[in-house]
Amino acid sequence: VRRNNFRAREEANPMTDTPWKTDDWFTSPWNFAPEVTKDWKFPDNIRIHDVTLRDGEQQAGLAFNFDDKIRIAEGLAEVGVQRIEAGMPVVSRDDAKVVQELAKRDFGPTVYAFARCMVEDVKRAVDSGVGGVIMEVPASPHLIQYGYQWDLERAIDLSIESTKFAHDNGLEVVFFPIDFTRSDLKWVIDLIDRVGKEGHMDGLALVDTMGATSIHAMQYFVRSMKERFPDIPMEAHFHMDYGMGVANTIMALSEGVEVIQSTVLGVGERAGNVPMEETVMALRTLYDIDIGIKLDKLKWLADLVRDVTGVVVPSNRPVVGDDLFKVESGIIATWLLNCGDEYQTEVMPFRPRMVGQGEPETVMGKGSGIDTVKQWLERNQIRVEETKAMEILMAVKDWALIHKRLMTEDEFKALAESLLDD
């Protein structure tokens, strides 16, 4: 039985190890209760397989040119991503050019191509120079019949023929059954079994194409696949249609799945793919599992992809949102001011600098309290009595209701000085 990083350290130093509370984060001690961790099967080597350049580009309105893709790939390499799905060479000359360019680089990540289970697609992947290929096939009978309008046996035959061809041409083959989780489990297991025996399969992607699987069903799904294919490495490729992708991915990892297929900022079809930044931070701070990603570059990478794609990133997006560590609420601002840097994780679950964010700051708005007003007054060298400070606070709240936004430093200073003149 594989032991995860936490268990190994727990055995080495059971009395002093507190993975829920470090200098950089403070999460729930319940995360590491023996009743919680006893059934964990996290692999020793969890890797990121980034699909931003292929699946991410399927988000409506996104279109990456050659330079965009190279720039994103270089950013992925910079943060330590282990694998990059560079594109689908058969789609266009530009896609083929990107895959070829990245495949010949020695810049860290292993480069994969994406292909349908068709020999012609595989030939294009071979020509691109990659070492591995993700090979998709529709895995639900209803999608094969209604979406592709194929005969069911045709999908099986194509999968066997093309995966064998890929293997014979030296490619690592990861079988990728589309719409896996809405299929009849026995039917798709039999499909995979035939592909593995008559064709070839080095790895198997567990694909929740519609993001339509609950956490509890995901555990059942992974256990069923591990029981039937115990020697095949497995990968998690889940979507966010119900917002369950990160939780489902971690559930799959805890059952022994080894690879996370994700995108930066969760870009992708419909509600998008599993966001890498949220997943790796959850692993690091909630499970004490370090998978080798440079966390302090997560904000930088997210900004890079935002700038290239033009996607709108909510200001309070987990991990990388621009306003994530701005504190308006009066009581929370008081906590922040009282705790200072030393006890910052009493107010925040993790230190902003851990992910490349700026330090927490108080901001001025309708929710602000008297301590924030006093702090801003002191910062601007404005001395007032307590009653005048309260008058300024009430004026701030009135201003915010009219303008429906935060105040700038200059606006606050002007407001305060105008009241002092009264």
Side-chain angles (χ1 to χ4, degrees), residues 138-155:
S140 54
H142 50 84
L143 185 61
I144 294 171
Q145 289 177 312
Y146 304 126
Y148 287 80
Q149 296 186 345
W150 287 356
D151 179 85
L152 295 179
E153 196 63 27
R154 182 188 178 199

Side-chain angles (χ1 to χ4, degrees), residues 22-42:
T22 73
D23 288 340
D24 288 327
W25 67 82
F26 184 5
T27 60
S28 174
W30 305 342
N31 297 336
F32 299 94
E35 296 85 351
V36 173
T37 65
K38 62 184 176 65
D39 294 324
W40 283 359
K41 302 181 185 70
F42 285 104

Side-chain angles (χ1 to χ4, degrees), residues 210-364:
M210 302 299 171
T213 307
S214 72
I215 299 171
H216 304 87
M218 184 57 66
Q219 184 180 56
Y220 161 73
F221 174 37
V222 177
R223 288 181 177 180
S224 298
M225 301 311 295
K226 296 291 285 187
E227 180 180 1
R228 183 65 181 267
F229 305 104
D231 299 323
I232 298 293
M234 294 186 185
E235 313 191 1
H237 181 105
F238 306 149
H239 282 254
M240 295 292 289
D241 295 77
Y242 290 90
M244 305 292 285
V246 175
N248 275 337
T249 295
I250 292 175
M251 174 62 78
L253 297 174
S254 75
E255 291 293 333
V257 170
E258 300 173 17
V259 175
I260 303 163
Q261 295 199 5
S262 60
T263 62
V264 180
L265 290 175
V267 294
E269 186 81 24
R270 300 182 318 280
N273 293 66
V274 167
M276 177 182 69
E277 49 278 4
E278 295 169 33
T279 309
V280 298
M281 273 300 290
L283 286 171
R284 188 70 189 97
T285 63
L286 303 182
Y287 294 84
D288 198 27
I289 296 175
D290 185 347
I291 66 171
I293 299 298
K294 297 175 184 175
L295 302 178
D296 61 349
K297 291 185 178 292
L298 288 177
K299 172 62 171 168
W300 167 80
L301 179 63
D303 288 350
L304 184 155
V305 172
R306 178 201 62 196
D307 294 344
V308 168
T309 61
V311 296
V312 176
V313 180
S315 61
N316 67 337
R317 180 160 191 131
V319 183
V320 297
D322 284 343
D323 294 345
L324 192 58
F325 298 101
K326 292 179 179 178
V327 180
E328 180 181 350
S329 173
I331 184 62
I332 309 301
T334 298
W335 295 352
L336 181 65
L337 294 170
N338 288 341
C339 288
D341 181 75
E342 183 178 3
Y343 300 107
Q344 192 180 93
T345 58
E346 296 293 329
V347 186
M348 309 287 175
F350 58 87
R351 291 184 182 271
R353 59 176 174 262
M354 187 180 177
V355 296
Q357 289 266 31
E359 289 302 296
E361 61 175 313
T362 59
V363 293
M364 194 66 68

Side-chain angles (χ1 to χ4, degrees), residues 57-76:
E57 194 182 18
Q58 290 181 206
Q59 180 167 321
L62 294 194
F64 301 147
N65 61 31
F66 177 85
D67 291 338
D68 293 338
K69 289 194 174 186
I70 297 301
R71 186 179 173 196
I72 293 172
E74 290 173 343
L76 294 168

